Amino acid sequence: MKTWLKTSAAASAIGLGLLTAPAFAQSADSGADSGADGGAKDGGSIVITYKDDVATLDPAIGYDWQNWSMIKSLFDGMMGYEPGTTTLRPDLAESYDISEDGKTFTFHLRSGVKFHNGREMTADDVKYSLDRVTNPKTQSPGAGFFGSISGYDEVAAGKAETLSGVSVVDPHTVRIELSRPDATFLHVMALNFASVVPKEAVEQYGADFGKHPVGTGAFKLAEWTLGQRLVFEKNKDYWRKGVPHLDQITFEVGQEPIVALLRLQRGEVDVPGDGIPPAKFLEVMNNPETKAQVVEGGQLHTGYITMNVTMKPFDKKAVRQAVNMAINKERIVKIINNRAVPANQPLPPSMPGYDKAYKGYAYDPQKAKAMLAEAGFPNGFETELYAMNTDPNPRIAQAIQQDLAAIGIRAELKALAQANVIEAGGQKDQAPMIWSGGMAWIADFPDPSNFYGPILGCAGATEGGWNWSWYCNEALDKEAAEADSIVDPAKADERSRMWSDVYGKIMEDAPWAPVFNEQRFTMKSKRMGGDDSLYVDPVAIPVNYDYVYVTDVQ
Amino acid sequence: MIAYLARRLGQAVLILFGVSVITFALLYLLPADPVRQIAGRSATPETVANIRRELGLDQPFLVQYGRYLAGLLQGDLGRSYLQRSEVSELIAARLPASLLLMAGAIACELVFGLTMGLIAAVKRGSALDQGLMVASFVGVSAPQFVVGLLLLYVFAVRLGWFPIGGYGSWRHLVLPSVTLGILGAGWYARMMRSSMLDVLRQDYVRTARAKGLSRAVVLLRHALPNAILPVIAMVGIDIGLFMSGIVVVESVFGWPGIGQLAWQAIQRVDIPIIMGVTLVSACAIVLGNLLADTLAPFIDPRIKLQ
């Protein structure tokens, strides 16, 4: 956040300076669409395929990359993002104020926004939705994101039914008090978990609300045939004028990615939701005709090797640094057909706080070997490397194994199902090394703090946690907390620098060997229109449903 | 007869109980935590603990199983952890597709298997016989995902005769039915061949020939009905084979049946679905066997129910 923001007129200026600049004309009218595409056509329908069934569409519960973007199109929250970018913009809020101390956020709601059931959305719904997502009975995986709201602890403990920090000022104003300044709070309010839901519909459908979603979003659910298809239909009363462009989206489930690709080539499918199958990647990219249907973009992802700092010999910093020098990242990137770029630090390049000047540990097996000898392992040692058992992860793990062998580390490969690797990583003395592929961290929101707490901070270094290197540096935890208390957007650069510093110190301690940042490749049918950035939208995978359109309608 | 059925049904209940205990125990012992699959990456430890408590997964094994069994006895299979829908609803939505596929597979294995067996028996010892028996051997041993992908590639992608996976018309049904039925067809070819040879050696066949009936009439009127019955009686037992086969075949062809449901649930540690599908499959297998055994005496009077 670069400016101290008050109204949506300046919304486009909240830029976090991420990724490439939005490829859209920016309109400043309140309620108008700042992502509008002049050439867009309205109407038509598209087909999207998935292999797996769609899990729940309840925004408080849905938390996989497949239902995430679907929920985004069915529901809205106070905040959202400019299409195709990571730039925050007010969504159901028309504007908001932040108090000087950074602890009070006041959201002014748009008027005339209607739920799919026809009722007008008010401030009471916002409060109800936040109370619901934090209530333990809802079982929301995202409840913890709201931990900075006053009264969260009481609700989480089941001692209160409602968040004392959230108050309805009038039907169009909600005030949220935080117990501590939280620089990420606007991002939190843009998460699906913060979507506004109508109480009467939630109560009517009970546990089945996820199958009968009622929101304020651009689309509404028209049909859900279990195991076969879901149909989204355009919400004609959508409050944002001009979108969505499509009349209908059909999601066909149970389709193998390879089958989806064949059907795409026949014109039966518009976007294969699971992407290009790895085995077909080269074939697709080597054919100019199919390559033209592919859109490439970055994503907030880092693939890394964790080294368990509580297990010998990885308790020695020199050993961890040696491993960092031993990994030939260029070769690993080649193994996956250049679907990634080599990484030298935990943050992906498009994240604020990424340190462009940082050089990382250069590939140098000779020096790595010398360092191992110096650390007391002239003949190396034996260890275990855990990895997920689906392609390409075993191949990557084998490459890592060979690189380690070159400096004398004999790593036994343990290729297991995803759930089993996650389980092993969450136990203190189980997995000395883990290749994160297939389970790697993809940011929930575009902020550097999101890469720290759960995976590198002390909070995650617990039984069942995600900090698989069990690295816990209390001084860094303190510095991180300090950075996150800088809410003033004018000091955003200072905050970014503090985060760069945190990650720089982590790399000095080397609990991870960062390997690469995965790129995203989305394939689309020839009739799909809209800017390329919509097809690699950082928050909507595979595509931003609200803004894409088809060119073959009148 | 009634006493026999009552005893068999009693056994069936015991078998299903055993299946439920063993499956539940295996899933309990699995070194994978369903709560972490639900909670995802960003969940705080307290959120994980909360979800575990709400789902009752913090309870000891016996309590968890007791609760499940109590629900089961009331016809409640529980709710999916990830889809949050009633398991019975998820299975009911997909069962018709699986039954249709099985019907297709049964038709396919009988048509192919019986024809091959009949021809092989008639042409016993010839090169054709040997060729058919090799083919049946290949059918029995070929992995279903290989057969499925091969058929898909040749008949759907290359020739374009059938749709590339999916569900809806009879044309969607053909390739998955053949894939699922090919294994059974191999068995039936071999059984039909030996059953037919057996019958052809009987005195009445020789008598029929001796009284001047044509070879074709003897084969089709006299020998075939007697040879075919014991073979068809085996169909009930095939249900076990199909139940394991549909997991693979439905995944390859994108067929929206319970096999696909089970496969997805296994990958996501969605225990209520895995339990539900296992129990439904076990029911089908038990019933299929019961049916085969009960029908046997009607087909072959030498067999007596005890």
Side-chain angles (χ1 to χ4, degrees), chain B residues 219-242:
Chain B
L219 268 179
L220 297 178
R221 283 256 185 79
H222 295 254
L224 187 62
N226 286 309
I228 215 168
L229 275 176
V231 177
I232 290 186
M234 304 297 288
V235 168
I237 293 165
D238 287 351
I239 291 174
L241 275 180
F242 289 148

Side-chain angles (χ1 to χ4, degrees), chain B residues 2-296:
Chain B
I2 289 171
Y4 171 79
L5 276 180
R7 202 175 67 243
R8 285 295 302 262
L9 284 174
Q11 285 171 353
V13 171
L14 275 182
I15 290 171
L16 291 178
F17 176 74
V19 168
S20 77
V21 176
I22 292 169
T23 317
F24 204 91
L26 284 175
L27 291 170
Y28 181 83
L29 294 171
L30 205 66
D33 182 355
V35 177
R36 304 196 58 196
Q37 293 283 311
I38 303 164
R41 314 167 313 234
S42 292
T44 55
E46 61 174 350
T47 305
V48 173
N50 166 49
I51 294 175
R52 195 183 306 283
R53 194 176 52 244
E54 291 289 326
L55 291 174
L57 290 170
D58 55 342
Q59 301 291 323
F61 175 77
L62 282 178
V63 176
Q64 284 189 39
Y65 180 73
R67 283 182 186 171
Y68 185 81
L69 193 65
L72 195 62
L73 292 175
Q74 297 164 41
D76 180 7
L77 289 171
R79 260 178 197 277
S80 149
Y81 290 159
L82 290 155
Q83 304 201 40
R84 302 277 166 151
S85 305
E86 296 275 356
V87 171
S88 50
E89 197 183 332
L90 291 170
I91 291 179
R94 286 166 165 275
L95 204 53
S98 286
L99 292 177
L100 181 65
L101 178 56
M102 271 193 233
I106 289 173
C108 172
E109 65 180 10
L110 289 181
V111 169
F112 285 122
L114 298 184
T115 317
M116 280 166 69
L118 184 66
I119 295 173
V122 174
K123 304 277 176 198
R124 184 185 178 195
S126 69
L128 185 62
D129 175 25
Q130 282 170 4
L132 284 171
M133 284 306 104
V134 169
S136 79
F137 188 68
V138 171
V140 168
S141 5
Q144 279 166 325
F145 70 93
V146 176
V147 175
L149 287 175
L150 209 66
L151 291 177
L152 202 58
Y153 182 73
V154 174
F155 293 102
V157 178
R158 283 276 123 149
L159 298 172
W161 293 354
F162 300 104
I164 312 171
Y167 179 69
S169 68
W170 69 269
R171 291 174 68 234
H172 289 94
L173 181 63
V174 175
L175 294 182
S177 300
V178 172
T179 309
L180 191 57
I182 238 168
L183 176 88
W187 282 118
Y188 281 106
R190 301 192 146 240
M191 271 192 299
M192 184 66 193
R193 180 177 179 273
S194 64
S195 171
M196 193 70 191
L197 288 176
D198 222 28
V199 171
L200 288 177
R201 274 196 294 267
Q202 302 292 322
D203 290 342
Y204 71 90
V205 172
R206 204 176 307 127
T207 313
R209 280 290 281 158
K211 72 183 184 192
L213 288 180
S214 77
R215 194 173 151 78
V217 171
V218 171
L219 268 179
L220 297 178
R221 283 256 185 79
H222 295 254
L224 187 62
N226 286 309
I228 215 168
L229 275 176
V231 177
I232 290 186
M234 304 297 288
V235 168
I237 293 165
D238 287 351
I239 291 174
L241 275 180
F242 289 148
M243 280 297 168
S244 58
I246 54 171
V247 176
V248 174
V249 175
E250 289 184 352
S251 295
V252 169
F253 288 95
W255 190 264
I258 58 171
Q260 197 187 47
L261 184 69
W263 178 237
Q264 290 178 13
I266 290 166
Q267 288 174 320
R268 304 198 238 180
V269 207
D270 203 332
I271 289 175
I273 296 186
I274 304 177
M275 282 300 296
V277 176
T278 309
L279 286 175
V280 168
S281 315
C283 267
I285 293 170
V286 167
L287 285 177
N289 281 316
L290 184 56
L291 197 69
D293 291 352
T294 315
L295 289 181

Side-chain angles (χ1 to χ4, degrees), chain A residues 42 148 248 295 331 402 474:
Chain A
D42 286 337
S148 61
Q248 191 177 298
V295 183
R331 183 168 76 114
Q402 287 162 11
E474 270 154 27

